[in-house]
Amino acid sequence: MTVRIETAAEAKVMRAIVDREHRTAMAERRAARDAHEAATAAPDRPRVGWSTKAPPRRKPSDIDRAIAKRAEEHRLDWARRHPDAAKAERAFRKGRAEMTDRWDHKREGTVETHERASRTHQGALARLWQSGAITADQLAAAVEIAMVAERIGADVAVRTASLETRISSGRHGNGAFYEALSRVRHEVAYTRWRAAIDGPIGAVLDMVVGETVGFTVVAKRYRIHNRRAKKLLIDALDLWPRLLGQVCKEIDRAAVDQMHATIA
């Protein structure tokens, strides 16, 4: 059925009625959609984030102050009764704080590793580390290699004894056992490390063990390029932690116990 609009006024009224009904229908549709979303939405989850700000300091209570006062009294009393020990303890705390501040800018390794490495090698390796040619981890690897090499060179008995005879069966306690186990692991890793060096091992040892020399001196001594000598050193230092990690996985307490059971 077709409705015929006779006048412009009637057409205008009709358009107004259609627009009104359209707006009403759209409003009802939006209301239905919002109700559906509210009914099916997941529950609100708390937003958890990380803050770099330090938490506010809690104001100490009377009990906290009393405990702190009592502890301070005990400390002062102990210091009066043991002046030498108290002086040594203060010196240790001060040295520890200075060492922590000295290596606070380093993000890899511990402060003890950096301190020991810087004091052990005051020659060519230290200069390479200070110049940024090698990292602190590589310097620490050089320290470990040098310690193992020097220990092996100074102790003939350790070099000739077998793995089984160098491991204590526990008669001296767990501390002695793990100290001997660590020693064996480092010696086995050192043997593998020497065999895995891709180049003249003497050149690497000259740069790591004993009175170390720079890679430029080694390059002239062994008639190789400076870049080749430097690469030999860096590759050797990077190789050490990988081989030591492999040896530590292979030689553990269970393996040693099995060795003892075999030879018993």
Side-chain angles (χ1 to χ4, degrees), residues 183-200:
R183 186 170 181 171
V184 171
R185 284 172 171 173
H186 280 76
E187 291 175 20
V188 172
Y190 179 73
T191 302
R192 296 185 184 180
W193 176 79
R194 285 176 58 101
I197 295 297
D198 184 16

Side-chain angles (χ1 to χ4, degrees), residues 89-107:
E89 185 177 342
R90 286 194 298 270
F92 172 79
R93 289 199 303 267
K94 182 179 179 182
R96 174 70 183 179
E98 292 175 350
M99 183 174 65
T100 302
D101 293 340
R102 187 159 52 248
W103 301 109
D104 183 63
H105 62 288
K106 291 292 182 179
R107 293 295 175 263

Side-chain angles (χ1 to χ4, degrees), residues 10 20-21 29 31 37-38 43 45 54 59 72 80 94 98-99 111 161 171 174 176 180 188 205 220 233 247 251 260:
E10 291 178 347
R20 183 184 62 193
E21 294 298 328
R29 182 179 298 179
E37 292 178 354
R45 296 180 179 179
K59 185 177 181 181
E72 180 67 13
R80 284 192 296 269
K94 182 179 179 182
E98 292 175 350
M99 183 174 65
V111 294
R171 291 175 296 178
N174 290 332
V188 172
L205 294 179
K220 293 180 181 179
L233 174 63
V247 171
I251 304 177
H260 283 295

Side-chain angles (χ1 to χ4, degrees), residues 52-120:
T52 58
K53 296 182 179 180
R57 297 185 60 180
R58 184 177 62 87
K59 185 177 181 181
S61 63
D62 294 340
I63 297 178
D64 294 333
R65 286 191 289 268
I67 293 175
K69 182 179 179 181
R70 187 67 179 272
E72 180 67 13
E73 291 175 354
H74 281 294
R75 188 187 68 80
L76 294 176
D77 181 64
W78 178 86
R80 284 192 296 269
R81 290 185 287 108
H82 306 281
D84 295 336
K87 183 178 179 180
E89 185 177 342
R90 286 194 298 270
F92 172 79
R93 289 199 303 267
K94 182 179 179 182
R96 174 70 183 179
E98 292 175 350
M99 183 174 65
T100 302
D101 293 340
R102 187 159 52 248
W103 301 109
D104 183 63
H105 62 288
K106 291 292 182 179
R107 293 295 175 263
E108 69 284 349
T110 63
V111 294
E112 291 82 4
T113 299
H114 295 301
E115 186 71 11
R116 184 176 183 181
S118 65
R119 292 184 178 182
T120 302

Side-chain angles (χ1 to χ4, degrees), residues 43-243:
D44 293 338
R45 296 180 179 179
R47 295 183 179 180
V48 179
W50 297 99
S51 175
T52 58
K53 296 182 179 180
R57 297 185 60 180
R58 184 177 62 87
K59 185 177 181 181
S61 63
D62 294 340
I63 297 178
D64 294 333
R65 286 191 289 268
I67 293 175
K69 182 179 179 181
R70 187 67 179 272
E72 180 67 13
E73 291 175 354
H74 281 294
R75 188 187 68 80
L76 294 176
D77 181 64
W78 178 86
R80 284 192 296 269
R81 290 185 287 108
H82 306 281
D84 295 336
K87 183 178 179 180
E89 185 177 342
R90 286 194 298 270
F92 172 79
R93 289 199 303 267
K94 182 179 179 182
R96 174 70 183 179
E98 292 175 350
M99 183 174 65
T100 302
D101 293 340
R102 187 159 52 248
W103 301 109
D104 183 63
H105 62 288
K106 291 292 182 179
R107 293 295 175 263
E108 69 284 349
T110 63
V111 294
E112 291 82 4
T113 299
H114 295 301
E115 186 71 11
R116 184 176 183 181
S118 65
R119 292 184 178 182
T120 302
H121 282 71
Q122 297 295 337
L125 285 172
R127 290 192 295 272
L128 288 175
W129 170 68
Q130 291 172 354
S131 66
I134 62 175
T135 65
D137 292 336
Q138 291 168 338
L139 181 59
V143 172
E144 279 193 320
I145 295 169
M147 291 174 60
V148 177
E150 292 168 1
R151 184 174 64 228
I152 293 176
D155 192 350
V156 178
V158 171
R159 288 186 299 173
T160 58
S162 64
L163 175 64
E164 293 85 355
T165 56
R166 292 210 304 269
I167 290 291
S168 169
S169 59
R171 291 175 296 178
H172 302 289
N174 290 332
F177 172 85
Y178 286 110
E179 181 180 355
L181 179 60
S182 174
R183 186 170 181 171
V184 171
R185 284 172 171 173
H186 280 76
E187 291 175 20
V188 172
Y190 179 73
T191 302
R192 296 185 184 180
W193 176 79
R194 285 176 58 101
I197 295 297
D198 184 16
I201 183 62
V204 178
L205 294 179
D206 288 348
M207 292 184 285
V208 176
V209 180
E211 296 295 332
T212 59
V213 295
F215 60 86
T216 56
V217 177
V218 167
K220 293 180 181 179
R221 184 178 298 174
Y222 290 85
R223 297 181 180 180
I224 58 179
H225 198 278
N226 288 351
R227 290 193 298 270
R228 170 63 173 161
K230 184 178 180 180
K231 187 176 186 301
L232 274 175
L233 174 63
I234 293 178
D235 290 347
L237 297 181
D238 290 339
L239 179 63
W240 172 256
R242 295 200 300 269
L243 290 180

